[in-house]
Amino acid sequence: MQGDGKNRLTVDIFGQQYRLSGKASVNHIRMVAGFVDDKMNEIANGNHRLDTAKIAVLSAVNIADEYFRLRREYEELLKILREDANGKDIEKS
């Protein structure tokens, strides 16, 4: 960790080296980079004619889709929990 509170490390994503820095732990940064690398390799293995830029964009679209689906599920779960908590508050009254 540097004096600015950021962790810095070099990671390999789809055969390229990237120097990443952030306040997240080194393990978290490695996990994120590994996730992106895995997704790019998954896309590349299914589409051998795509260039790296297209693989990167398709990977980003897939990751964004997954993120929005999970966010929607999270919000639905929060709504259920709030409704359940409100129902219990009413029963106690």
Side-chain angles (χ1 to χ4, degrees):
M1 194 175 298
Q2 304 293 323
D4 60 3
K6 290 185 178 181
N7 288 311
R8 291 176 173 77
L9 70 149
T10 301
V11 297
D12 186 78
I13 300 174
F14 204 62
Q16 296 289 318
Q17 298 256 313
Y18 295 92
R19 184 86 174 142
L20 302 180
S21 67
K23 293 192 179 199
S25 71
V26 169
N27 286 337
H28 180 78
I29 294 169
R30 277 194 189 110
M31 183 177 64
V32 169
F35 184 82
V36 172
D37 182 58
D38 290 346
K39 185 61 71 175
M40 288 185 71
N41 281 296
E42 178 185 320
I43 298 290
N45 288 336
N47 302 280
H48 297 285
R49 294 182 181 201
L50 295 177
D51 62 28
T52 302
K54 288 182 180 168
I55 291 168
V57 169
L58 288 173
S59 297
V61 169
N62 276 266
I63 291 167
D65 176 61
E66 187 173 329
Y67 166 76
F68 282 110
R69 288 175 191 268
L70 288 170
R71 188 171 83 175
R72 185 178 59 238
E73 289 176 19
Y74 171 76
E75 289 169 357
E76 289 171 2
L77 285 171
L78 281 180
K79 182 180 175 188
I80 290 167
L81 288 171
R82 284 187 198 114
E83 289 170 355
D84 187 49
N86 287 337
K88 288 182 180 178
D89 289 342
I90 294 169
E91 290 174 14
K92 289 180 183 177
S93 300

